[in-house]
Short mmCIF file of all heavy atoms in Angstrom, two decimals:
data_model
loop_
_atom_site.label_atom_id
_atom_site.label_comp_id
_atom_site.label_asym_id
_atom_site.label_seq_id
_atom_site.Cartn_x
_atom_site.Cartn_y
_atom_site.Cartn_z
N MET A 1 -5.08 9.75 0.46
CA MET A 1 -4.68 8.30 0.41
C MET A 1 -4.36 7.77 1.73
O MET A 1 -3.71 6.76 1.80
CB MET A 1 -3.60 8.11 -0.64
CG MET A 1 -4.00 8.42 -1.98
SD MET A 1 -2.99 7.58 -3.25
CE MET A 1 -3.69 8.40 -4.62
N GLY A 2 -4.58 8.42 2.80
CA GLY A 2 -4.26 8.06 4.14
C GLY A 2 -4.99 6.79 4.52
O GLY A 2 -4.50 6.09 5.37
N GLU A 3 -6.10 6.53 3.85
CA GLU A 3 -6.86 5.31 4.28
C GLU A 3 -6.19 4.10 3.75
O GLU A 3 -6.41 2.93 4.26
CB GLU A 3 -8.33 5.37 3.66
CG GLU A 3 -8.44 5.08 2.19
CD GLU A 3 -8.16 6.36 1.22
OE1 GLU A 3 -7.82 7.39 1.73
OE2 GLU A 3 -8.23 6.12 0.03
N ILE A 4 -5.30 4.17 2.75
CA ILE A 4 -4.59 3.13 2.40
C ILE A 4 -3.75 2.43 3.50
O ILE A 4 -3.57 1.23 3.57
CB ILE A 4 -3.68 3.45 1.17
CG1 ILE A 4 -4.46 3.70 -0.02
CG2 ILE A 4 -2.61 2.30 0.73
CD1 ILE A 4 -3.77 4.14 -1.24
N ALA A 5 -3.19 3.30 4.34
CA ALA A 5 -2.35 2.77 5.40
C ALA A 5 -3.06 1.93 6.39
O ALA A 5 -2.57 1.01 7.09
CB ALA A 5 -1.72 3.98 6.16
N ALA A 6 -4.39 2.05 6.48
CA ALA A 6 -5.24 1.31 7.35
C ALA A 6 -5.66 -0.01 6.72
O ALA A 6 -6.25 -0.82 7.46
CB ALA A 6 -6.40 2.09 7.84
N LEU A 7 -5.47 -0.21 5.44
CA LEU A 7 -5.93 -1.46 4.78
C LEU A 7 -5.08 -2.67 5.12
O LEU A 7 -3.92 -2.57 5.14
CB LEU A 7 -5.95 -1.31 3.26
CG LEU A 7 -6.95 -0.32 2.57
CD1 LEU A 7 -6.65 -0.17 1.07
CD2 LEU A 7 -8.33 -0.81 2.87
N PRO A 8 -5.75 -3.73 5.40
CA PRO A 8 -5.02 -5.08 5.59
C PRO A 8 -4.51 -5.38 4.23
O PRO A 8 -4.97 -5.01 3.14
CB PRO A 8 -6.11 -5.96 6.13
CG PRO A 8 -7.37 -5.36 5.88
CD PRO A 8 -7.25 -4.00 5.70
N PHE A 9 -3.46 -6.31 4.29
CA PHE A 9 -2.86 -6.70 3.08
C PHE A 9 -3.83 -7.32 1.97
O PHE A 9 -3.73 -6.91 0.76
CB PHE A 9 -1.72 -7.76 3.39
CG PHE A 9 -0.97 -8.20 2.13
CD1 PHE A 9 -0.02 -7.56 1.56
CD2 PHE A 9 -1.42 -9.47 1.59
CE1 PHE A 9 0.61 -8.03 0.45
CE2 PHE A 9 -0.83 -10.00 0.53
CZ PHE A 9 0.27 -9.31 -0.08
N GLU A 10 -4.68 -8.13 2.34
CA GLU A 10 -5.56 -8.83 1.46
C GLU A 10 -6.50 -7.78 0.76
O GLU A 10 -6.78 -7.96 -0.51
CB GLU A 10 -6.35 -9.88 2.17
CG GLU A 10 -5.60 -11.03 2.65
CD GLU A 10 -4.84 -10.84 3.96
OE1 GLU A 10 -5.09 -9.72 4.64
OE2 GLU A 10 -4.11 -11.67 4.38
N LYS A 11 -6.98 -6.87 1.46
CA LYS A 11 -7.89 -5.87 0.80
C LYS A 11 -7.04 -4.90 -0.02
O LYS A 11 -7.51 -4.54 -1.14
CB LYS A 11 -8.60 -5.04 1.91
CG LYS A 11 -9.72 -5.86 2.63
CD LYS A 11 -10.58 -4.91 3.52
CE LYS A 11 -11.59 -5.76 4.14
NZ LYS A 11 -12.90 -5.41 4.07
N ALA A 12 -5.89 -4.48 0.33
CA ALA A 12 -5.02 -3.71 -0.55
C ALA A 12 -4.63 -4.41 -1.76
O ALA A 12 -4.70 -3.87 -2.89
CB ALA A 12 -3.78 -3.31 0.21
N LEU A 13 -4.31 -5.70 -1.66
CA LEU A 13 -3.96 -6.47 -2.87
C LEU A 13 -5.14 -6.63 -3.79
O LEU A 13 -4.97 -6.48 -5.02
CB LEU A 13 -3.36 -7.81 -2.49
CG LEU A 13 -2.90 -8.74 -3.60
CD1 LEU A 13 -1.73 -8.00 -4.37
CD2 LEU A 13 -2.45 -10.09 -3.09
N ALA A 14 -6.30 -6.89 -3.28
CA ALA A 14 -7.51 -7.10 -4.04
C ALA A 14 -7.79 -5.74 -4.87
O ALA A 14 -8.16 -5.79 -5.99
CB ALA A 14 -8.70 -7.55 -3.21
N GLU A 15 -7.69 -4.61 -4.20
CA GLU A 15 -7.95 -3.40 -4.87
C GLU A 15 -6.86 -3.12 -5.94
O GLU A 15 -7.14 -2.67 -7.03
CB GLU A 15 -7.92 -2.22 -3.81
CG GLU A 15 -8.38 -0.91 -4.50
CD GLU A 15 -8.46 0.31 -3.55
OE1 GLU A 15 -8.49 0.11 -2.25
OE2 GLU A 15 -8.48 1.42 -4.06
N LEU A 16 -5.64 -3.49 -5.64
CA LEU A 16 -4.59 -3.33 -6.65
C LEU A 16 -4.81 -4.16 -7.83
O LEU A 16 -4.63 -3.71 -8.98
CB LEU A 16 -3.22 -3.71 -6.02
CG LEU A 16 -1.99 -3.53 -6.84
CD1 LEU A 16 -1.89 -2.11 -7.52
CD2 LEU A 16 -0.80 -3.90 -6.07
N GLU A 17 -5.24 -5.47 -7.67
CA GLU A 17 -5.59 -6.32 -8.74
C GLU A 17 -6.79 -5.73 -9.53
O GLU A 17 -6.76 -5.86 -10.81
CB GLU A 17 -5.90 -7.64 -8.21
CG GLU A 17 -4.79 -8.44 -7.78
CD GLU A 17 -5.11 -9.67 -6.97
OE1 GLU A 17 -6.25 -9.96 -6.61
OE2 GLU A 17 -4.12 -10.51 -6.79
N ASP A 18 -7.79 -5.17 -8.92
CA ASP A 18 -8.85 -4.56 -9.62
C ASP A 18 -8.41 -3.39 -10.44
O ASP A 18 -8.82 -3.17 -11.60
CB ASP A 18 -9.94 -4.02 -8.69
CG ASP A 18 -11.14 -3.41 -9.26
OD1 ASP A 18 -11.72 -4.09 -10.09
OD2 ASP A 18 -11.43 -2.31 -8.95
N ILE A 19 -7.39 -2.50 -9.91
CA ILE A 19 -6.98 -1.43 -10.72
C ILE A 19 -6.17 -1.92 -11.93
O ILE A 19 -6.34 -1.35 -12.96
CB ILE A 19 -6.05 -0.56 -9.84
CG1 ILE A 19 -6.93 0.25 -8.80
CG2 ILE A 19 -5.12 0.32 -10.65
CD1 ILE A 19 -6.08 0.95 -7.71
N VAL A 20 -5.42 -2.95 -11.81
CA VAL A 20 -4.65 -3.47 -12.89
C VAL A 20 -5.59 -3.94 -13.98
O VAL A 20 -5.42 -3.75 -15.16
CB VAL A 20 -3.72 -4.55 -12.44
CG1 VAL A 20 -3.12 -5.34 -13.63
CG2 VAL A 20 -2.62 -4.05 -11.60
N THR A 21 -6.63 -4.66 -13.57
CA THR A 21 -7.65 -5.20 -14.55
C THR A 21 -8.28 -4.02 -15.30
O THR A 21 -8.43 -4.19 -16.46
CB THR A 21 -8.73 -6.01 -13.76
OG1 THR A 21 -8.05 -7.12 -13.15
CG2 THR A 21 -9.71 -6.53 -14.77
N ARG A 22 -8.69 -2.98 -14.58
CA ARG A 22 -9.32 -1.91 -15.28
C ARG A 22 -8.42 -1.11 -16.20
O ARG A 22 -8.82 -0.84 -17.27
CB ARG A 22 -9.77 -0.79 -14.15
CG ARG A 22 -10.98 -1.27 -13.35
CD ARG A 22 -11.36 -0.37 -12.25
NE ARG A 22 -11.73 0.89 -12.76
CZ ARG A 22 -11.82 1.96 -12.04
NH1 ARG A 22 -11.61 2.00 -10.77
NH2 ARG A 22 -12.23 3.10 -12.57
N LEU A 23 -7.15 -1.02 -15.84
CA LEU A 23 -6.17 -0.42 -16.74
C LEU A 23 -5.89 -1.19 -17.93
O LEU A 23 -5.72 -0.77 -19.05
CB LEU A 23 -4.87 -0.01 -15.93
CG LEU A 23 -5.00 1.10 -14.96
CD1 LEU A 23 -3.72 1.22 -14.14
CD2 LEU A 23 -5.34 2.41 -15.69
N GLU A 24 -5.81 -2.62 -17.78
CA GLU A 24 -5.50 -3.47 -18.86
C GLU A 24 -6.65 -3.45 -19.90
O GLU A 24 -6.36 -3.60 -21.07
CB GLU A 24 -5.31 -4.81 -18.38
CG GLU A 24 -3.97 -5.02 -17.70
CD GLU A 24 -3.68 -6.40 -17.18
OE1 GLU A 24 -4.61 -7.22 -16.93
OE2 GLU A 24 -2.59 -6.80 -16.94
N ARG A 25 -7.89 -3.26 -19.39
CA ARG A 25 -9.04 -3.17 -20.41
C ARG A 25 -8.90 -2.01 -21.30
O ARG A 25 -9.38 -2.09 -22.41
CB ARG A 25 -10.36 -3.09 -19.57
CG ARG A 25 -10.73 -4.47 -18.98
CD ARG A 25 -12.24 -4.42 -18.50
NE ARG A 25 -12.39 -5.28 -17.42
CZ ARG A 25 -12.83 -5.00 -16.18
NH1 ARG A 25 -13.26 -3.74 -16.03
NH2 ARG A 25 -12.95 -5.90 -15.36
N GLY A 26 -8.35 -0.85 -20.76
CA GLY A 26 -8.16 0.26 -21.57
C GLY A 26 -9.38 1.10 -21.83
O GLY A 26 -9.32 1.99 -22.69
N ASN A 27 -10.45 0.91 -21.15
CA ASN A 27 -11.65 1.57 -21.45
C ASN A 27 -11.96 2.71 -20.20
O ASN A 27 -13.03 3.12 -19.97
CB ASN A 27 -12.89 0.71 -21.57
CG ASN A 27 -13.15 -0.11 -20.39
OD1 ASN A 27 -12.36 -0.14 -19.36
ND2 ASN A 27 -14.14 -0.94 -20.37
N VAL A 28 -10.74 3.13 -19.70
CA VAL A 28 -10.87 4.19 -18.56
C VAL A 28 -10.37 5.47 -19.20
O VAL A 28 -9.36 5.46 -19.99
CB VAL A 28 -10.02 3.77 -17.38
CG1 VAL A 28 -10.14 4.84 -16.24
CG2 VAL A 28 -10.50 2.46 -16.82
N ALA A 29 -11.10 6.52 -18.88
CA ALA A 29 -10.67 7.86 -19.46
C ALA A 29 -9.18 8.18 -18.99
O ALA A 29 -8.73 7.75 -17.91
CB ALA A 29 -11.67 8.96 -19.00
N LEU A 30 -8.49 9.11 -19.64
CA LEU A 30 -7.15 9.36 -19.41
C LEU A 30 -6.95 9.86 -17.91
O LEU A 30 -6.15 9.40 -17.22
CB LEU A 30 -6.65 10.34 -20.40
CG LEU A 30 -5.13 10.82 -20.12
CD1 LEU A 30 -4.20 9.63 -20.19
CD2 LEU A 30 -4.77 11.90 -21.14
N GLU A 31 -7.76 10.84 -17.45
CA GLU A 31 -7.65 11.47 -16.23
C GLU A 31 -7.90 10.42 -15.23
O GLU A 31 -7.22 10.33 -14.15
CB GLU A 31 -8.56 12.65 -16.11
CG GLU A 31 -8.06 13.84 -16.83
CD GLU A 31 -6.62 14.41 -16.44
OE1 GLU A 31 -6.39 14.39 -15.20
OE2 GLU A 31 -5.88 14.70 -17.31
N ASP A 32 -8.89 9.67 -15.46
CA ASP A 32 -9.22 8.51 -14.45
C ASP A 32 -8.13 7.45 -14.39
O ASP A 32 -7.81 6.94 -13.33
CB ASP A 32 -10.53 7.76 -14.73
CG ASP A 32 -11.79 8.71 -14.62
OD1 ASP A 32 -11.64 9.72 -13.79
OD2 ASP A 32 -12.76 8.51 -15.17
N SER A 33 -7.55 7.16 -15.48
CA SER A 33 -6.37 6.27 -15.53
C SER A 33 -5.27 6.70 -14.77
O SER A 33 -4.59 5.98 -13.99
CB SER A 33 -5.93 6.05 -17.00
OG SER A 33 -6.96 5.42 -17.79
N ILE A 34 -4.97 7.99 -14.84
CA ILE A 34 -3.83 8.59 -14.10
C ILE A 34 -4.12 8.45 -12.64
O ILE A 34 -3.27 8.05 -11.74
CB ILE A 34 -3.58 10.04 -14.57
CG1 ILE A 34 -3.05 9.98 -15.96
CG2 ILE A 34 -2.65 10.74 -13.58
CD1 ILE A 34 -2.96 11.45 -16.60
N ALA A 35 -5.34 8.83 -12.24
CA ALA A 35 -5.72 8.83 -10.84
C ALA A 35 -5.65 7.42 -10.24
O ALA A 35 -5.06 7.21 -9.13
CB ALA A 35 -7.13 9.42 -10.61
N ILE A 36 -6.17 6.41 -11.02
CA ILE A 36 -6.22 5.07 -10.40
C ILE A 36 -4.82 4.55 -10.54
O ILE A 36 -4.43 3.61 -9.58
CB ILE A 36 -7.28 4.12 -11.01
CG1 ILE A 36 -7.12 3.88 -12.42
CG2 ILE A 36 -8.66 4.57 -10.75
CD1 ILE A 36 -8.01 2.88 -13.11
N TYR A 37 -3.97 4.89 -11.47
CA TYR A 37 -2.63 4.36 -11.47
C TYR A 37 -1.78 4.90 -10.28
O TYR A 37 -1.06 4.17 -9.67
CB TYR A 37 -1.90 4.85 -12.79
CG TYR A 37 -0.44 4.42 -12.86
CD1 TYR A 37 -0.13 3.24 -13.42
CD2 TYR A 37 0.66 5.23 -12.41
CE1 TYR A 37 1.20 2.88 -13.42
CE2 TYR A 37 1.89 4.83 -12.41
CZ TYR A 37 2.18 3.66 -13.04
OH TYR A 37 3.49 3.25 -13.05
N GLU A 38 -2.00 6.16 -9.89
CA GLU A 38 -1.41 6.70 -8.75
C GLU A 38 -1.81 5.97 -7.47
O GLU A 38 -0.99 5.68 -6.56
CB GLU A 38 -1.64 8.21 -8.62
CG GLU A 38 -0.93 8.94 -9.71
CD GLU A 38 -1.30 10.53 -9.72
OE1 GLU A 38 -2.33 10.87 -9.03
OE2 GLU A 38 -0.62 11.23 -10.38
N ARG A 39 -3.10 5.71 -7.36
CA ARG A 39 -3.59 4.85 -6.20
C ARG A 39 -2.95 3.45 -6.26
O ARG A 39 -2.62 2.97 -5.24
CB ARG A 39 -5.16 4.84 -6.24
CG ARG A 39 -5.68 4.12 -4.99
CD ARG A 39 -7.12 4.32 -4.83
NE ARG A 39 -7.70 3.59 -3.74
CZ ARG A 39 -7.60 3.95 -2.46
NH1 ARG A 39 -7.19 5.13 -2.02
NH2 ARG A 39 -8.12 3.23 -1.41
N GLY A 40 -2.88 2.89 -7.45
CA GLY A 40 -2.26 1.62 -7.54
C GLY A 40 -0.83 1.54 -7.04
O GLY A 40 -0.34 0.65 -6.38
N GLU A 41 -0.06 2.61 -7.40
CA GLU A 41 1.31 2.86 -6.84
C GLU A 41 1.33 2.88 -5.35
O GLU A 41 2.25 2.22 -4.75
CB GLU A 41 1.97 4.13 -7.47
CG GLU A 41 2.50 3.98 -8.83
CD GLU A 41 3.27 5.20 -9.18
OE1 GLU A 41 3.76 5.99 -8.44
OE2 GLU A 41 3.46 5.33 -10.50
N ALA A 42 0.45 3.60 -4.75
CA ALA A 42 0.37 3.72 -3.28
C ALA A 42 0.01 2.38 -2.65
O ALA A 42 0.57 1.94 -1.68
CB ALA A 42 -0.54 4.78 -2.91
N LEU A 43 -0.91 1.73 -3.29
CA LEU A 43 -1.29 0.35 -2.80
C LEU A 43 -0.17 -0.65 -2.88
O LEU A 43 0.07 -1.44 -1.95
CB LEU A 43 -2.47 -0.21 -3.57
CG LEU A 43 -3.88 0.47 -3.24
CD1 LEU A 43 -4.78 0.16 -4.44
CD2 LEU A 43 -4.41 0.09 -1.88
N LYS A 44 0.64 -0.65 -3.97
CA LYS A 44 1.79 -1.46 -4.12
C LYS A 44 2.79 -1.18 -3.10
O LYS A 44 3.36 -2.08 -2.46
CB LYS A 44 2.40 -1.35 -5.53
CG LYS A 44 3.56 -2.27 -5.75
CD LYS A 44 4.33 -1.87 -7.07
CE LYS A 44 5.66 -2.65 -7.16
NZ LYS A 44 6.52 -2.49 -6.16
N LYS A 45 3.06 0.11 -2.83
CA LYS A 45 3.96 0.43 -1.84
C LYS A 45 3.54 -0.07 -0.45
O LYS A 45 4.34 -0.55 0.38
CB LYS A 45 4.12 2.00 -1.86
CG LYS A 45 5.20 2.48 -0.86
CD LYS A 45 5.39 3.93 -0.96
CE LYS A 45 6.43 4.45 0.06
NZ LYS A 45 6.67 5.81 -0.02
N HIS A 46 2.34 0.15 -0.21
CA HIS A 46 1.69 -0.36 1.19
C HIS A 46 1.86 -1.77 1.33
O HIS A 46 2.31 -2.38 2.27
CB HIS A 46 0.26 0.05 1.17
CG HIS A 46 -0.43 -0.38 2.41
ND1 HIS A 46 -0.10 -0.02 3.69
CD2 HIS A 46 -1.56 -1.28 2.58
CE1 HIS A 46 -0.85 -0.60 4.56
NE2 HIS A 46 -1.70 -1.41 3.92
N CYS A 47 1.48 -2.59 0.14
CA CYS A 47 1.63 -4.15 0.24
C CYS A 47 3.14 -4.55 0.46
O CYS A 47 3.38 -5.47 1.14
CB CYS A 47 1.05 -4.70 -1.07
SG CYS A 47 -0.75 -4.68 -1.23
N ASP A 48 4.01 -3.89 -0.32
CA ASP A 48 5.47 -4.23 -0.11
C ASP A 48 5.95 -3.99 1.32
O ASP A 48 6.60 -4.75 1.91
CB ASP A 48 6.26 -3.34 -1.05
CG ASP A 48 6.22 -3.71 -2.45
OD1 ASP A 48 5.76 -4.89 -2.80
OD2 ASP A 48 6.70 -2.96 -3.34
N GLY A 49 5.53 -2.82 1.87
CA GLY A 49 5.76 -2.57 3.28
C GLY A 49 5.29 -3.64 4.24
O GLY A 49 5.99 -4.14 5.25
N LEU A 50 4.03 -4.00 4.04
CA LEU A 50 3.46 -5.11 4.77
C LEU A 50 4.16 -6.44 4.64
O LEU A 50 4.37 -7.13 5.71
CB LEU A 50 1.99 -5.25 4.52
CG LEU A 50 1.01 -4.09 4.99
CD1 LEU A 50 -0.45 -4.29 4.42
CD2 LEU A 50 0.99 -3.94 6.42
N LEU A 51 4.56 -6.75 3.56
CA LEU A 51 5.33 -7.96 3.33
C LEU A 51 6.69 -7.91 3.95
O LEU A 51 7.11 -8.95 4.57
CB LEU A 51 5.43 -8.23 1.81
CG LEU A 51 4.17 -8.68 1.07
CD1 LEU A 51 4.41 -8.92 -0.44
CD2 LEU A 51 3.68 -10.04 1.57
N ARG A 52 7.38 -6.83 3.84
CA ARG A 52 8.70 -6.67 4.51
C ARG A 52 8.51 -6.83 6.01
O ARG A 52 9.35 -7.49 6.65
CB ARG A 52 9.29 -5.45 4.12
CG ARG A 52 10.16 -5.40 2.89
CD ARG A 52 10.97 -4.15 2.75
NE ARG A 52 10.31 -2.95 2.81
CZ ARG A 52 9.67 -2.38 1.78
NH1 ARG A 52 9.65 -2.99 0.55
NH2 ARG A 52 9.05 -1.18 1.91
N SER A 53 7.46 -6.22 6.57
CA SER A 53 7.20 -6.35 7.98
C SER A 53 7.06 -7.79 8.42
O SER A 53 7.46 -8.20 9.39
CB SER A 53 6.10 -5.49 8.32
OG SER A 53 5.77 -5.61 9.68
N ALA A 54 6.24 -8.44 7.62
CA ALA A 54 5.93 -9.91 7.90
C ALA A 54 7.19 -10.73 7.84
O ALA A 54 7.52 -11.58 8.69
CB ALA A 54 4.89 -10.48 6.94
N GLU A 55 8.06 -10.51 6.81
CA GLU A 55 9.34 -11.23 6.67
C GLU A 55 10.24 -11.00 7.86
O GLU A 55 10.93 -11.92 8.27
CB GLU A 55 10.02 -10.87 5.39
CG GLU A 55 9.49 -11.34 4.10
CD GLU A 55 10.04 -10.78 2.87
OE1 GLU A 55 10.87 -9.91 2.91
OE2 GLU A 55 9.84 -11.43 1.81
N MET A 56 10.22 -9.76 8.43
CA MET A 56 11.12 -9.48 9.56
C MET A 56 10.65 -10.31 10.78
O MET A 56 11.44 -10.54 11.73
CB MET A 56 11.21 -8.00 9.74
CG MET A 56 11.89 -7.37 8.70
SD MET A 56 12.20 -5.55 8.78
CE MET A 56 11.26 -4.92 10.04
N ARG A 57 9.38 -10.61 10.81
CA ARG A 57 8.86 -11.31 12.02
C ARG A 57 8.93 -12.78 11.97
O ARG A 57 8.91 -13.50 12.91
CB ARG A 57 7.36 -10.95 12.18
CG ARG A 57 7.09 -9.47 12.60
CD ARG A 57 5.86 -9.20 13.08
NE ARG A 57 4.77 -9.94 12.42
CZ ARG A 57 3.85 -9.47 11.54
NH1 ARG A 57 3.86 -8.13 11.20
NH2 ARG A 57 2.93 -10.22 11.12
N ILE A 58 9.23 -13.28 10.76
CA ILE A 58 9.39 -14.73 10.58
C ILE A 58 10.73 -15.14 11.15
O ILE A 58 11.79 -14.53 10.87
CB ILE A 58 9.32 -15.16 9.07
CG1 ILE A 58 7.97 -14.87 8.48
CG2 ILE A 58 9.68 -16.64 8.84
CD1 ILE A 58 7.78 -15.03 7.01
N GLU A 59 10.70 -16.36 11.86
CA GLU A 59 11.95 -16.80 12.39
C GLU A 59 12.30 -18.11 11.63
O GLU A 59 11.42 -18.90 11.35
CB GLU A 59 11.82 -17.10 13.81
CG GLU A 59 11.79 -15.85 14.71
CD GLU A 59 11.75 -16.09 16.22
OE1 GLU A 59 11.38 -17.26 16.60
OE2 GLU A 59 12.22 -15.21 16.91
N LYS A 60 13.60 -18.32 11.47
CA LYS A 60 14.04 -19.48 10.76
C LYS A 60 14.49 -20.51 11.81
O LYS A 60 15.16 -20.16 12.72
CB LYS A 60 15.23 -19.16 9.86
CG LYS A 60 15.84 -20.32 9.14
CD LYS A 60 16.83 -19.83 8.10
CE LYS A 60 18.01 -18.98 8.74
NZ LYS A 60 19.06 -18.64 7.83
N ILE A 61 13.95 -21.83 11.81
CA ILE A 61 14.25 -22.78 12.83
C ILE A 61 15.68 -23.32 12.44
O ILE A 61 16.05 -23.60 11.36
CB ILE A 61 13.34 -23.90 12.69
CG1 ILE A 61 11.85 -23.47 13.09
CG2 ILE A 61 13.79 -25.12 13.62
CD1 ILE A 61 10.77 -24.48 12.95
N THR A 62 16.58 -23.39 13.50
CA THR A 62 17.96 -23.91 13.32
C THR A 62 17.92 -25.25 13.89
O THR A 62 17.21 -25.56 14.82
CB THR A 62 18.96 -22.99 14.04
OG1 THR A 62 18.55 -22.96 15.47
CG2 THR A 62 18.93 -21.61 13.49
N LEU A 63 18.73 -26.12 13.24
CA LEU A 63 18.89 -27.53 13.66
C LEU A 63 20.24 -27.72 14.42
O LEU A 63 21.23 -27.19 14.05
CB LEU A 63 18.83 -28.44 12.43
CG LEU A 63 17.49 -28.32 11.69
CD1 LEU A 63 17.56 -29.29 10.39
CD2 LEU A 63 16.37 -28.64 12.47
N GLY A 64 20.22 -28.45 15.42
CA GLY A 64 21.39 -28.89 16.06
C GLY A 64 22.17 -29.95 15.39
O GLY A 64 21.83 -30.40 14.33
N ALA A 65 23.35 -30.31 15.95
CA ALA A 65 24.22 -31.31 15.24
C ALA A 65 23.50 -32.66 15.05
O ALA A 65 23.84 -33.48 14.22
CB ALA A 65 25.52 -31.57 16.10
N ASP A 66 22.50 -33.00 15.92
CA ASP A 66 21.77 -34.17 15.87
C ASP A 66 20.68 -34.12 14.92
O ASP A 66 19.80 -35.01 14.69
CB ASP A 66 21.21 -34.53 17.27
CG ASP A 66 20.35 -33.54 17.92
OD1 ASP A 66 20.19 -32.49 17.21
OD2 ASP A 66 19.87 -33.71 18.94
N GLY A 67 20.52 -32.93 14.21
CA GLY A 67 19.40 -32.82 13.26
C GLY A 67 18.06 -32.42 13.89
O GLY A 67 17.09 -32.28 13.13
N LYS A 68 18.02 -32.23 15.17
CA LYS A 68 16.79 -31.78 15.76
C LYS A 68 16.77 -30.29 15.95
O LYS A 68 17.71 -29.68 16.05
CB LYS A 68 16.65 -32.57 17.19
CG LYS A 68 16.49 -34.00 17.04
CD LYS A 68 16.30 -34.59 18.33
CE LYS A 68 16.29 -36.19 18.20
NZ LYS A 68 16.11 -36.82 19.49
N PRO A 69 15.56 -29.74 16.03
CA PRO A 69 15.38 -28.25 16.25
C PRO A 69 16.14 -27.81 17.48
O PRO A 69 16.03 -28.48 18.52
CB PRO A 69 13.92 -28.05 16.36
CG PRO A 69 13.17 -29.16 15.66
CD PRO A 69 14.15 -30.36 15.86
N ALA A 70 17.01 -26.87 17.35
CA ALA A 70 17.73 -26.33 18.46
C ALA A 70 17.41 -24.91 18.84
O ALA A 70 17.92 -24.44 19.87
CB ALA A 70 19.20 -26.43 18.06
N GLY A 71 16.59 -24.29 18.05
CA GLY A 71 16.28 -22.88 18.33
C GLY A 71 15.75 -22.19 17.15
O GLY A 71 15.40 -22.76 16.14
N ALA A 72 15.84 -20.88 17.20
CA ALA A 72 15.36 -20.09 16.07
C ALA A 72 16.22 -18.86 15.92
O ALA A 72 16.87 -18.43 16.85
CB ALA A 72 13.92 -19.68 16.20
N GLU A 73 16.40 -18.37 14.68
CA GLU A 73 17.08 -17.09 14.41
C GLU A 73 16.30 -16.26 13.51
O GLU A 73 15.41 -16.72 12.88
CB GLU A 73 18.55 -17.46 13.75
CG GLU A 73 18.47 -18.11 12.45
CD GLU A 73 19.80 -18.58 12.07
OE1 GLU A 73 20.67 -19.07 12.89
OE2 GLU A 73 20.12 -18.35 10.83
N PRO A 74 16.57 -14.99 13.55
CA PRO A 74 15.76 -14.11 12.58
C PRO A 74 15.86 -14.57 11.14
O PRO A 74 16.92 -15.10 10.71
CB PRO A 74 16.44 -12.63 12.74
CG PRO A 74 17.22 -12.81 14.13
CD PRO A 74 17.65 -14.27 14.23
N PHE A 75 14.77 -14.28 10.45
CA PHE A 75 14.68 -14.68 8.99
C PHE A 75 15.59 -13.84 8.23
O PHE A 75 15.75 -12.51 8.44
CB PHE A 75 13.19 -14.44 8.59
CG PHE A 75 13.03 -14.56 7.07
CD1 PHE A 75 12.97 -15.88 6.55
CD2 PHE A 75 12.91 -13.51 6.18
CE1 PHE A 75 12.70 -15.98 5.18
CE2 PHE A 75 12.86 -13.68 4.86
CZ PHE A 75 12.71 -14.98 4.28
N ASP A 76 16.33 -14.38 7.25
CA ASP A 76 17.18 -13.55 6.36
C ASP A 76 16.77 -13.79 5.00
O ASP A 76 16.75 -14.86 4.42
CB ASP A 76 18.68 -14.17 6.53
CG ASP A 76 19.69 -13.40 5.71
OD1 ASP A 76 19.29 -12.32 5.22
OD2 ASP A 76 20.81 -13.87 5.52
N ALA A 77 16.19 -12.75 4.42
CA ALA A 77 15.58 -12.79 3.12
C ALA A 77 16.62 -12.97 1.99
O ALA A 77 16.27 -13.40 0.88
CB ALA A 77 14.86 -11.51 2.86
N ASP A 78 17.84 -12.81 2.27
CA ASP A 78 18.93 -12.90 1.30
C ASP A 78 19.31 -14.34 1.21
O ASP A 78 19.45 -15.23 1.04
CB ASP A 78 20.16 -12.01 1.57
CG ASP A 78 19.77 -10.48 1.53
OD1 ASP A 78 18.85 -10.19 0.71
OD2 ASP A 78 20.47 -9.87 2.25
#
């Protein structure tokens, strides 16, 4: 599953959505279901990591007393 780490967010999310659709249909053999579920877990973890990384790079614009942009500070997800 090392190739998952190289996937861009959009491709990983699309593959994850495909896996969910396949599992929801319920017409996948048990062993195949387990394998694609495990891949789905890895894809979800990868997407979560990419999103966290993107959030850390976002800066929040701060306003001065006059209401005009005065600078930026790191994004705080909380």
